[in-house]
Amino acid sequence: MGCTATTVASAMRAVAVVVAEHRDELIRLDREIGDGDHGENMTRGFTALAAKLDGDVPASPGAVLRLAATTLISTVGGAAGPLYGTAFLRAATSVGDAAAIDGPAVAAALRAALEGVVARGKAEVGDKTMVDALTPAGAAAESAAASGAGVADVLRAA
């Protein structure tokens, strides 16, 4: 079964719930290395995205990802907004305007997102950034997709 705009929008709403549930934890963790605003910023960004998706779901998975990119860039402060925005924008470009995407397209979108984060943040594996998590996740997704896995199994592998 392919992944549609509706399923991507549902996933983004679920992310908003999880981010909000972990807001305080994200703040605490960010205080150890930064200014402690990450939980608040990410909650604000994904809450804004969920509100936009509650109004009208774009026509394609790529359009949902583009909406996520622009919303996060405009509402999330610090470095996170541009990093996550770039990741979602690159993923959106990867999937294009297809009405539904399959496992290999999801894996390719994850790879494009990682490449966007690396390009924007100039980080590499070992720098103790999100690249350290995204790299093995992307490789696992690509491996699953190469084995013929569908969307759910590719995401589970990631």
Side-chain angles (χ1 to χ4, degrees), residues 95-120:
V95 301
D97 292 325
I101 53 177
D102 60 8
V106 170
L110 292 172
R111 172 60 58 190
L114 167 63
E115 291 170 357
V117 169
V118 168
R120 171 72 61 194

Side-chain angles (χ1 to χ4, degrees), residues 23 35 46 64 68 78 81-82 86-88 90 95 99 112 117 124 127 134 137 141 143-144 147 149 154-155:
R23 175 189 170 276
D35 56 6
F46 278 100
V64 174
T86 298
F88 280 113
R90 292 280 185 100
V95 301
V117 169
E124 39 187 67
D127 287 346
L134 293 175
S143 178
S147 298
V154 166
L155 290 172

Side-chain angles (χ1 to χ4, degrees), residues 23-90:
R23 175 189 170 276
D24 292 342
E25 180 182 3
L26 291 169
I27 289 170
R28 181 183 56 76
L29 290 169
D30 189 34
R31 279 192 185 127
E32 293 178 16
I33 60 168
D35 56 6
D37 65 350
H38 189 66
E40 184 62 38
N41 286 340
M42 295 303 289
T43 299
R44 181 176 53 252
F46 278 100
T47 298
L49 175 58
K52 288 181 180 183
L53 291 170
D54 287 343
D56 187 28
V57 174
S60 69
V64 174
L65 295 171
R66 275 190 294 283
L67 179 63
T70 58
T71 302
L72 295 178
I73 288 169
S74 67
T75 59
V76 175
L83 286 170
Y84 281 92
T86 298
F88 280 113
L89 188 56
R90 292 280 185 100

